[in-house]
Amino acid sequence: MSTQMKKTLITLNLLFVAAALVSAQNKTTQETTKPNIILIMVDDMGYSDLGNYGSEIKTPNLDKLASEGLRLREFYNNSICAPTRGSLLTGQYQHKAGMGFFDVNLGLPAYQGYLNKESLTLGEVFRSGGYSTLLSGKWHVGSEDQSQWPNQRGFDKFYGILKGASNYFDTKPLPFGKTPYPVKLIRNNEELHPKDDSYYFTDEIGNNAVTFLDEQNKENKPFFLYLAFTAPHWPLQAKPVDIAKYRGKFDEGWDVLREKRIEKLKANGILPANQTVAPRDPEVPEWSKLSYDEKQFWKAKMEVYAAMVDNMDQNVGKVLNKLKVLKKDKNTLIIFISDNGAQGGFNSYNPLGRGLVRNDGPVGTSGSFDYQEQNWAYLSNTPLQQYKNNMHEGGFSSPFIAWYPSKIKAGRIDKGTGHIIDLAPTFYELAGITYPAAYNGVNSNPLAGKSLLPVLFDNVSEVNRGAPLFWERAGNRAVREGKWKLVSTYPAYQWELYDLETDRGETNNIAQQNPGIVNDLSAKYFDWADKTGVVEYSKFKQKNELIPGAAAKK
């Protein structure tokens, strides 16, 4: 070979190497400039429990996200833990995903109690699109078989609990029901056994999320992080330093504080001036008529609850600080929501068969096991009607914060009328990921929701979905189309109709005056129910398939 030919070959090789390096660099740049996404969900927290939604609880980190981002007045979940997570993780109505009732198997595909393979998780789809997928916190959509666990359903990293709840200072079984409720604390398929009182679970959810972000930073890929706090879900347990902040803060009681929250909600624009407020809950006693000892008992509960929300916010702050250190804060969308309204209903009935079942220390300590209960849930869900597991607005309305410095207008408050089924299509559109028609040889359920990007980025007031929203859970039902809301509560099955444009407090049932609207929305509901796999709840009850243990897992 001549000297000239050798020089030509060397030159060509160098050109090929240079081209390959440029290509690789472009690919890396493209991947790392794709937006990161953080989805934060809290558990059993009411509509107005954040400072930026009218609360007296201190949530400075979430308040900052709200002031620099967007809040929606109307954003819906599925009114209870597992069905909400089923829809959130898949973009499907819960029955379509296999989570029609809860994380218990009732013997039908729509009620199998774990996510089916046709319903792709956020982890699976983001991973298929080149993202790192991280989850720290609560899973609750399948635990009986390891194939149902997060690492097997698309998440690269997982720390947290598989089922619905745990103590905050230990992994002991939860002491209620005939059989103690098991708790498994897992990191990447390995069960952890920390010493009792050696940690606080909310802190560990935050700490593991920060660790995952550090580890992910070496991968040159965008990330999706699902940060699923259990706070402030029962049991009421918090760190003494956080409880101390709230000593005396609830001395005025739920009646006075509810009025103060209403005034704040009106002042900050979340509650429009023309909107109704839910009437006073007749099952909640008047604070002024309680004895001194009763007031001490109730105040202690809410002080701990507030401490749990406060600590959750501190851990959001840890994640925000890590984002800033990694210089990823300007290219990250953060969404914050709650999985259902605050939990009430225990004063008039006790469907879970639970009492104060552990009392080895004052409320809030690791030796205690207590609940917020209806009296304070009435405050938490201000200004809305009803509680968790109910389809009136207080049961399934969530605070909603969206933050993305380069894309979302600061300080905006709008209507939205979004639903958790809308988050998956929103995320995939933003990330430029095509939702797979099939995955691992299984045809995928099409996405049920609509992208929220026009609402988030283009200042569109509400989602243009072209179809109603539907709900069913344990016989409770609802339809939302435009300003109309159709709702019924099991076992009555009597449809109520509300005009939410001016009556979000659901104070005036106008079903009798509008039979045509009731019939139209009812027909649409039954058509949806048939197509989605909804089974009449009384059929389960008649067959005695809803065993007490299933109810106890709420």
Side-chain angles (χ1 to χ4, degrees), residues 59-120:
T59 53
N61 294 294
L62 289 166
D63 293 353
K64 182 175 186 290
L65 294 183
S67 66
E68 295 176 0
L70 162 71
R71 279 167 288 177
L72 295 181
R73 299 186 186 101
E74 297 182 2
F75 187 84
Y76 291 111
N77 48 53
N78 283 344
S79 86
I80 197 166
C81 305
T84 284
R85 285 165 173 75
S87 290
L88 178 76
L89 281 160
T90 64
Q92 308 294 332
Y93 281 111
Q94 76 223 42
H95 308 80
K96 205 74 174 175
M99 301 294 298
F101 176 70
F102 215 57
D103 67 331
V104 289
N105 192 339
L106 301 184
L108 292 172
Y111 298 85
Q112 66 184 24
Y114 59 92
L115 297 179
N116 56 43
K117 295 295 174 63
E118 295 83 10
S119 301
L120 306 186

Side-chain angles (χ1 to χ4, degrees), residues 103-157:
D103 67 331
V104 289
N105 192 339
L106 301 184
L108 292 172
Y111 298 85
Q112 66 184 24
Y114 59 92
L115 297 179
N116 56 43
K117 295 295 174 63
E118 295 83 10
S119 301
L120 306 186
T121 70
L122 294 170
E124 288 165 338
V125 178
F126 270 113
R127 181 189 277 175
S128 77
Y131 273 65
S132 303
T133 52
L134 317 170
L135 196 172
S136 188
K138 173 173 167 176
W139 179 238
H140 207 201
V141 286
S143 61
E144 301 307 316
D145 185 274
Q146 197 171 92
S147 65
Q148 304 165 9
W149 294 11
N151 292 112
Q152 284 66 41
R153 291 306 308 262
F155 286 92
D156 301 332
K157 303 281 179 70

Side-chain angles (χ1 to χ4, degrees), residues 455-518:
V455 174
L456 302 185
F457 295 168
D458 302 332
N459 297 335
V460 173
S461 182
E462 60 184 296
V463 183
N464 179 15
R465 66 179 69 253
L469 287 167
F470 301 97
W471 293 265
E472 189 280 337
R473 199 270 162 184
N476 297 325
R477 310 173 298 178
V479 184
R480 175 72 191 268
E481 185 170 39
K483 68 179 185 176
W484 299 114
K485 161 90 174 284
L486 195 67
V487 60
S488 72
T489 301
Y490 184 85
Y493 277 162
Q494 184 70 41
W495 287 120
E496 303 166 25
L497 180 69
Y498 298 99
D499 176 356
L500 296 194
E501 197 167 284
T502 56
D503 188 22
R504 197 164 180 215
E506 296 171 299
T507 63
N508 184 24
N509 176 11
I510 52 176
Q512 287 189 350
Q513 299 94 304
N514 296 276
I517 295 169
V518 172

Side-chain angles (χ1 to χ4, degrees), residues 10 100 104 217 244 255 285 316 322 376 387 393 397 415 419 422 425 437 445 447 504 516 529:
I10 290 169
V104 289
N217 194 46
D255 293 313
V316 170
K322 178 53 64 175
W376 286 118
Y387 309 97
E393 293 291 287
S397 293
K415 188 176 181 181
H419 187 284
D422 299 329
N445 286 328
L447 294 171
R504 197 164 180 215

